[in-house]
Coordinates of all heavy atoms in Angstrom, one line a residue:
M6 N -1.8 -10.6 8.1 CA -3.1 -10.2 8.0 C -4.1 -11.2 8.4 O -5.2 -11.0 8.9 CB -3.4 -9.6 6.6 CG -2.9 -8.3 6.4 SD -3.5 -7.6 4.8 CE -2.4 -6.3 4.6
M7 N -3.8 -12.5 8.0 CA -4.8 -13.5 8.3 C -4.9 -13.7 9.8 O -6.0 -14.0 10.3 CB -4.3 -14.8 7.6 CG -4.4 -14.8 6.1 SD -6.0 -14.3 5.5 CE -7.0 -15.7 6.0
A8 N -3.9 -13.6 10.5 CA -4.0 -13.7 12.0 C -4.9 -12.6 12.6 O -5.7 -12.9 13.5 CB -2.6 -13.6 12.6
E9 N -4.8 -11.4 12.0 CA -5.7 -10.3 12.4 C -7.1 -10.7 12.1 O -8.0 -10.4 13.0 CB -5.3 -9.0 11.8 CG -6.1 -7.8 12.3 CD -5.9 -7.6 13.7 OE1 -4.7 -7.8 14.3 OE2 -6.8 -7.1 14.4
L10 N -7.4 -11.2 11.0 CA -8.8 -11.5 10.6 C -9.4 -12.6 11.5 O -10.6 -12.6 11.7 CB -8.8 -12.0 9.1 CG -8.5 -10.9 8.1 CD1 -8.4 -11.5 6.7 CD2 -9.6 -9.8 8.1
H11 N -8.5 -13.4 12.0 CA -9.0 -14.5 12.9 C -8.9 -14.1 14.4 O -9.1 -14.9 15.3 CB -8.2 -15.8 12.6 CG -8.5 -16.4 11.3 ND1 -9.6 -17.1 11.1 CD2 -7.8 -16.3 10.1 CE1 -9.6 -17.5 9.8 NE2 -8.6 -17.0 9.2
G12 N -8.6 -12.8 14.7 CA -8.6 -12.4 16.0 C -7.4 -12.9 16.9 O -7.5 -12.9 18.1
K13 N -6.3 -13.2 16.2 CA -5.1 -13.8 16.9 C -4.2 -12.6 17.4 O -4.1 -11.6 16.8 CB -4.3 -14.7 16.0 CG -5.1 -15.8 15.4 CD -5.4 -16.9 16.4 CE -6.1 -18.0 15.7 NZ -6.4 -19.1 16.6
V14 N -3.6 -12.8 18.6 CA -2.7 -11.8 19.2 C -1.5 -11.6 18.3 O -0.9 -10.5 18.4 CB -2.3 -12.2 20.6 CG1 -1.3 -13.4 20.6 CG2 -1.8 -11.0 21.4
T15 N -1.2 -12.5 17.4 CA -0.1 -12.3 16.4 C -0.5 -11.4 15.2 O 0.4 -11.2 14.4 CB 0.5 -13.6 16.0 OG1 -0.6 -14.4 15.4 CG2 1.1 -14.4 17.1
G16 N -1.7 -11.0 15.2 CA -2.2 -10.1 14.1 C -1.5 -8.8 14.1 O -0.9 -8.3 15.1
L17 N -1.7 -8.0 13.0 CA -1.1 -6.7 12.8 C -1.5 -5.7 13.9 O -0.8 -4.9 14.3 CB -1.5 -6.2 11.4 CG -1.0 -7.0 10.3 CD1 -1.6 -6.5 9.0 CD2 0.5 -7.0 10.2
C18 N -2.8 -5.9 14.4 CA -3.3 -5.0 15.4 C -3.6 -5.8 16.7 O -4.5 -5.5 17.5 CB -4.6 -4.3 15.0 SG -4.3 -3.2 13.6
K19 N -2.8 -6.9 16.9 CA -2.9 -7.8 18.0 C -4.3 -8.5 18.1 O -4.8 -8.8 19.2 CB -2.6 -7.0 19.3 CG -1.4 -6.3 19.3 CD -0.2 -7.1 19.2 CE 1.1 -6.3 19.3 NZ 2.1 -6.8 18.4
G20 N -5.0 -8.6 17.0 CA -6.3 -9.3 17.0 C -7.4 -8.4 17.3 O -8.6 -8.9 17.4
K21 N -7.2 -7.1 17.5 CA -8.3 -6.2 18.0 C -8.9 -5.4 16.8 O -9.9 -4.8 17.0 CB -7.7 -5.3 19.1 CG -7.3 -6.0 20.3 CD -6.7 -5.1 21.3 CE -6.2 -5.9 22.5 NZ -5.6 -5.0 23.5
G22 N -8.3 -5.4 15.7 CA -8.7 -4.5 14.6 C -9.8 -5.2 13.7 O -10.7 -4.5 13.2
G23 N -9.7 -6.5 13.5 CA -10.6 -7.2 12.7 C -10.4 -6.8 11.2 O -9.4 -6.2 10.9
S24 N -11.3 -7.0 10.4 CA -11.2 -6.7 8.9 C -11.3 -5.3 8.6 O -10.9 -4.8 7.6 CB -12.3 -7.5 8.2 OG -13.6 -7.1 8.5
M25 N -12.0 -4.5 9.5 CA -12.2 -3.1 9.2 C -11.0 -2.2 9.5 O -11.0 -1.1 9.0 CB -13.5 -2.6 10.0 CG -14.1 -1.4 9.4 SD -14.5 -1.4 7.7 CE -16.1 -2.1 7.7
H26 N -10.1 -2.6 10.3 CA -9.0 -1.8 10.7 C -7.6 -2.4 10.6 O -6.8 -2.3 11.4 CB -9.2 -1.4 12.2 CG -10.6 -0.7 12.4 ND1 -10.9 0.5 12.0 CD2 -11.7 -1.2 13.0 CE1 -12.1 0.8 12.3 NE2 -12.6 -0.2 12.9
L27 N -7.4 -3.0 9.4 CA -6.1 -3.6 9.2 C -5.1 -2.5 8.9 O -5.4 -1.6 8.1 CB -6.2 -4.5 7.9 CG -6.9 -5.8 8.1 CD1 -7.0 -6.6 6.8 CD2 -6.2 -6.7 9.2
T28 N -4.0 -2.6 9.5 CA -2.9 -1.5 9.3 C -1.6 -2.2 9.6 O -1.4 -3.1 10.3 CB -3.1 -0.4 10.3 OG1 -2.1 0.6 10.0 CG2 -3.1 -0.8 11.7
D29 N -0.6 -1.7 8.9 CA 0.8 -2.1 9.1 C 1.7 -0.9 8.7 O 2.1 -0.7 7.6 CB 1.1 -3.3 8.2 CG 2.5 -4.0 8.5 OD1 3.3 -3.3 9.2 OD2 2.7 -5.1 8.1
S30 N 2.0 -0.2 9.7 CA 2.8 1.1 9.5 C 4.2 0.8 9.0 O 4.8 1.6 8.3 CB 2.9 1.9 10.8 OG 3.4 1.2 11.8
G31 N 4.7 -0.4 9.3 CA 6.0 -0.8 8.8 C 6.1 -0.9 7.3 O 7.1 -0.7 6.7
L32 N 5.0 -1.2 6.7 CA 4.9 -1.3 5.3 C 4.3 -0.1 4.7 O 4.1 0.0 3.5 CB 4.0 -2.5 4.9 CG 4.5 -3.9 5.2 CD1 3.4 -5.0 4.9 CD2 5.8 -4.2 4.5
G33 N 3.9 0.9 5.5 CA 3.3 2.1 5.0 C 1.9 2.0 4.7 O 1.3 2.9 4.1
M34 N 1.2 1.0 5.2 CA -0.2 0.7 5.0 C -1.0 1.4 6.1 O -0.9 0.9 7.3 CB -0.5 -0.8 5.0 CG -1.9 -1.1 4.6 SD -2.1 -2.9 4.5 CE -3.5 -3.1 5.4
L35 N -1.7 2.5 5.8 CA -2.4 3.2 6.9 C -3.6 2.5 7.3 O -4.1 2.9 8.4 CB -2.7 4.6 6.3 CG -1.5 5.5 6.0 CD1 -2.0 6.8 5.4 CD2 -0.6 5.7 7.2
G36 N -4.1 1.6 6.6 CA -5.3 0.8 7.0 C -6.6 1.2 6.4 O -6.7 2.2 5.7
A37 N -7.6 0.4 6.7 CA -8.9 0.6 6.2 C -9.7 1.5 7.2 O -9.2 1.7 8.4 CB -9.6 -0.7 6.1
N38 N -10.8 2.0 6.8 CA -11.6 2.9 7.7 C -13.1 2.5 7.5 O -13.5 2.4 6.4 CB -11.3 4.3 7.3 CG -11.9 5.3 8.3 OD1 -13.0 5.2 8.8 ND2 -11.0 6.2 8.7
G39 N -13.8 2.4 8.6 CA -15.2 2.0 8.5 C -16.1 3.2 8.0 O -17.2 3.0 7.7
I40 N -15.5 4.4 8.0 CA -16.3 5.5 7.5 C -15.9 5.8 6.1 O -14.8 6.2 5.8 CB -15.9 6.8 8.4 CG1 -16.2 6.5 9.8 CG2 -16.7 8.0 7.9 CD1 -15.7 7.5 10.8
V41 N -16.8 5.5 5.2 CA -16.5 5.5 3.7 C -15.9 6.8 3.2 O -14.9 6.8 2.6 CB -17.7 5.1 2.9 CG1 -17.5 5.3 1.4 CG2 -18.2 3.7 3.2
P42 N -16.4 8.0 3.6 CA -15.8 9.2 3.0 C -14.4 9.6 3.6 O -13.8 10.5 3.1 CB -16.8 10.3 3.5 CG -18.0 9.6 3.9 CD -17.6 8.3 4.3
A43 N -14.0 8.9 4.6 CA -12.7 9.2 5.2 C -11.5 8.8 4.5 O -10.4 9.3 4.7 CB -12.6 8.7 6.7
G44 N -11.6 7.9 3.5 CA -10.5 7.3 2.8 C -9.7 8.3 2.0 O -8.5 8.4 2.0
L45 N -10.4 9.2 1.2 CA -9.8 10.2 0.4 C -9.0 11.2 1.1 O -7.9 11.5 0.8 CB -10.8 10.8 -0.6 CG -11.3 9.9 -1.7 CD1 -12.2 10.6 -2.6 CD2 -10.1 9.3 -2.5
P46 N -9.6 11.9 2.2 CA -8.8 12.8 2.9 C -7.5 12.2 3.6 O -6.5 12.8 3.6 CB -9.7 13.4 4.0 CG -11.1 13.1 3.4 CD -11.0 11.9 2.6
I47 N -7.6 11.0 4.0 CA -6.5 10.3 4.6 C -5.4 10.1 3.6 O -4.2 10.3 3.8 CB -6.9 9.0 5.3 CG1 -7.8 9.3 6.5 CG2 -5.7 8.1 5.6 CD1 -8.4 8.0 7.1
A48 N -5.8 9.6 2.4 CA -4.9 9.4 1.3 C -4.2 10.7 0.8 O -3.1 10.8 0.5 CB -5.6 8.8 0.1
C49 N -5.0 11.8 0.8 CA -4.5 13.1 0.5 C -3.4 13.6 1.5 O -2.4 14.1 1.1 CB -5.6 14.2 0.4 SG -6.6 14.0 -1.1
G50 N -3.7 13.3 2.7 CA -2.7 13.7 3.8 C -1.4 12.8 3.6 O -0.3 13.4 3.8
A51 N -1.6 11.6 3.3 CA -0.4 10.7 3.1 C 0.4 11.2 1.9 O 1.6 11.2 1.9 CB -0.9 9.2 2.9
A52 N -0.3 11.6 0.8 CA 0.4 12.0 -0.4 C 1.1 13.3 -0.1 O 2.3 13.5 -0.5 CB -0.6 12.3 -1.5
L53 N 0.5 14.2 0.7 CA 1.2 15.5 1.0 C 2.4 15.2 1.9 O 3.5 15.8 1.7 CB 0.2 16.4 1.8 CG 0.8 17.8 2.2 CD1 1.3 18.6 1.0 CD2 -0.2 18.5 3.0
S54 N 2.3 14.3 2.8 CA 3.4 13.9 3.7 C 4.6 13.4 2.8 O 5.7 13.8 3.1 CB 3.0 12.9 4.7 OG 4.1 12.4 5.4
A55 N 4.3 12.5 1.9 CA 5.3 12.0 1.0 C 6.0 13.1 0.2 O 7.2 13.1 0.0 CB 4.7 10.9 0.1
K56 N 5.2 14.0 -0.3 CA 5.7 15.1 -1.1 C 6.6 16.0 -0.2 O 7.7 16.4 -0.7 CB 4.6 15.9 -1.7 CG 5.0 17.0 -2.6 CD 3.9 17.8 -3.2 CE 4.4 18.9 -4.2 NZ 3.3 19.5 -4.9
V57 N 6.2 16.4 0.9 CA 6.9 17.2 1.8 C 8.3 16.6 2.2 O 9.3 17.2 2.3 CB 6.1 17.6 3.1 CG1 7.0 18.3 4.2 CG2 5.0 18.5 2.7
R58 N 8.2 15.2 2.5 CA 9.4 14.5 2.9 C 10.3 14.1 1.7 O 11.3 13.6 1.8 CB 9.0 13.3 3.7 CG 8.4 13.6 5.0 CD 8.0 12.3 5.8 NE 6.9 11.6 5.1 CZ 6.9 10.4 4.7 NH1 8.0 9.7 4.7 NH2 5.9 9.9 4.1
K59 N 9.8 14.4 0.5 CA 10.5 14.2 -0.8 C 10.9 12.7 -0.9 O 12.0 12.3 -1.3 CB 11.8 15.1 -0.9 CG 11.4 16.5 -1.0 CD 12.7 17.4 -1.1 CE 12.3 18.7 -1.6 NZ 12.1 19.7 -0.7
T60 N 9.9 11.8 -0.7 CA 10.1 10.4 -0.9 C 9.4 10.0 -2.2 O 8.8 10.8 -2.9 CB 9.4 9.6 0.3 OG1 8.0 9.7 0.1 CG2 9.9 10.1 1.6
D61 N 9.7 8.8 -2.6 CA 9.1 8.3 -3.9 C 7.8 7.5 -3.6 O 7.3 6.7 -4.4 CB 10.1 7.4 -4.7 CG 10.5 6.2 -3.9 OD1 10.2 6.1 -2.7 OD2 11.2 5.4 -4.5
Q62 N 7.2 7.7 -2.4 CA 6.0 6.9 -2.0 C 4.8 7.5 -2.8 O 4.8 8.6 -3.2 CB 5.8 7.0 -0.5 CG 6.8 6.4 0.3 CD 6.6 6.7 1.8 OE1 6.5 7.8 2.2 NE2 6.6 5.6 2.6
V63 N 3.8 6.6 -2.9 CA 2.5 7.1 -3.5 C 1.4 6.8 -2.5 O 1.5 5.9 -1.7 CB 2.2 6.4 -4.9 CG1 3.3 6.7 -5.9 CG2 2.2 4.9 -4.7
A64 N 0.3 7.5 -2.7 CA -0.9 7.2 -1.8 C -2.0 6.7 -2.7 O -2.2 7.3 -3.8 CB -1.3 8.5 -1.1
V65 N -2.7 5.7 -2.3 CA -3.8 5.1 -3.1 C -5.0 5.0 -2.2 O -4.9 4.5 -1.1 CB -3.4 3.7 -3.6 CG1 -4.5 3.1 -4.4 CG2 -2.1 3.8 -4.5
A66 N -6.2 5.3 -2.7 CA -7.4 5.2 -2.0 C -8.4 4.5 -3.0 O -8.6 4.9 -4.1 CB -8.0 6.5 -1.6
F67 N -9.1 3.5 -2.5 CA -10.1 2.8 -3.2 C -11.5 3.1 -2.7 O -11.6 3.2 -1.4 CB -9.9 1.3 -3.2 CG -8.7 0.8 -3.8 CD1 -7.5 0.6 -3.0 CD2 -8.6 0.5 -5.1 CE1 -6.3 0.1 -3.6 CE2 -7.4 0.1 -5.7 CZ -6.3 -0.1 -4.9
F68 N -12.4 3.4 -3.5 CA -13.8 3.7 -3.1 C -14.8 3.4 -4.1 O -14.4 3.3 -5.3 CB -13.9 5.2 -2.6 CG -13.6 6.2 -3.7 CD1 -14.6 6.7 -4.5 CD2 -12.3 6.6 -4.0 CE1 -14.3 7.6 -5.6 CE2 -12.0 7.5 -5.0 CZ -13.0 8.0 -5.8
G69 N -16.0 3.2 -3.7 CA -17.1 2.8 -4.6 C -18.0 4.0 -5.0 O -17.7 5.1 -4.7
G70 N -19.1 3.6 -5.6 CA -20.0 4.7 -6.1 C -20.7 5.5 -5.0 O -21.0 6.6 -5.2
G71 N -20.9 4.9 -3.8 CA -21.5 5.6 -2.7 C -20.6 6.7 -2.2 O -21.1 7.7 -1.7
R72 N -19.3 6.6 -2.4 CA -18.4 7.6 -1.9 C -18.5 8.9 -2.6 O -18.3 9.9 -2.0 CB -16.9 7.0 -2.0 CG -15.8 8.0 -1.8 CD -15.9 8.6 -0.4 NE -14.9 9.6 -0.2 CZ -15.2 10.9 -0.2 NH1 -16.4 11.3 -0.4 NH2 -14.3 11.8 0.0
R73 N -18.8 8.9 -3.9 CA -18.8 10.1 -4.6 C -20.0 11.1 -4.2 O -19.9 12.3 -4.5 CB -19.0 9.8 -6.1 CG -20.3 9.2 -6.5 CD -20.3 8.9 -8.0 NE -21.5 8.1 -8.3 CZ -22.7 8.7 -8.5 NH1 -22.8 10.0 -8.3 NH2 -23.8 7.9 -8.7
L74 N -20.9 10.6 -3.4 CA -22.0 11.4 -2.9 C -21.7 12.0 -1.6 O -22.6 12.8 -1.1 CB -23.3 10.6 -2.9 CG -23.7 10.0 -4.2 CD1 -24.9 9.1 -4.0 CD2 -24.0 11.1 -5.3
E75 N -20.6 11.6 -0.9 CA -20.3 12.1 0.4 C -19.4 13.3 0.4 O -18.7 13.6 -0.6 CB -19.6 11.0 1.2 CG -20.5 9.7 1.4 CD -21.6 9.9 2.3 OE1 -21.6 10.9 3.1 OE2 -22.6 9.2 2.2
R76 N -19.4 14.0 1.5 CA -18.5 15.2 1.6 C -17.1 14.8 1.9 O -16.8 13.6 2.1 CB -19.0 16.1 2.7 CG -20.4 16.7 2.4 CD -20.9 17.4 3.6 NE -22.3 17.7 3.4 CZ -22.8 18.9 3.6 NH1 -22.1 19.9 4.0 NH2 -24.1 19.0 3.4
G77 N -16.2 15.7 1.9 CA -14.8 15.4 2.2 C -13.9 15.2 0.9 O -12.9 14.6 1.0
R78 N -14.4 15.7 -0.2 CA -13.6 15.5 -1.4 C -13.7 16.8 -2.2 O -14.6 17.6 -2.0 CB -14.1 14.4 -2.2 CG -15.5 14.6 -2.8 CD -15.8 13.5 -3.9 NE -17.1 13.6 -4.3 CZ -17.6 14.3 -5.3 NH1 -16.7 15.0 -6.0 NH2 -18.8 14.4 -5.6
F79 N -12.8 17.0 -3.2 CA -12.9 18.1 -4.1 C -13.5 17.6 -5.4 O -13.1 16.5 -5.9 CB -11.5 18.7 -4.3 CG -10.9 19.3 -3.0 CD1 -10.0 18.6 -2.3 CD2 -11.4 20.5 -2.6 CE1 -9.4 19.1 -1.2 CE2 -10.9 21.0 -1.4 CZ -9.9 20.4 -0.7
S80 N -14.3 18.3 -6.0 CA -14.9 18.0 -7.3 C -14.2 18.5 -8.4 O -13.7 19.6 -8.4 CB -16.4 18.4 -7.4 OG -17.1 17.8 -6.3

């Protein structure tokens, strides 16, 4: 991850993602998203995928207070 943050070709996204788009599919890390409301629907899709595939994986999404005012979530 540090190589990615410094724009190195050895980074997770070959130095092109920067801090906003870190991802490592080998570890199951779907990555960050610059669009705040997009995190929860992505996590829900990942959770559904894990359930359908009957794995023991979990999906986690972190968000702040501004997220609760955006669309794309169930209340």
Side-chain angles (χ1 to χ4, degrees):
M6 281 192 193
M7 292 307 294
E9 185 63 35
L10 289 173
H11 290 281
K13 305 287 184 181
V14 75
T15 55
L17 299 170
C18 297
K19 310 296 184 218
K21 297 178 181 177
S24 63
M25 198 53 86
H26 305 286
L27 289 175
T28 180
D29 189 346
S30 59
L32 295 176
M34 186 176 133
L35 297 178
N38 194 310
I40 303 168
V41 175
L45 288 181
I47 291 170
C49 288
L53 178 61
S54 171
K56 183 176 181 177
V57 168
R58 292 180 291 119
K59 295 182 166 91
T60 69
D61 60 352
Q62 295 172 307
V63 297
V65 179
F67 296 95
F68 59 93
R72 168 62 184 104
R73 65 184 175 78
L74 302 174
E75 298 290 337
R76 296 175 194 229
R78 68 169 172 92
F79 296 103
S80 298

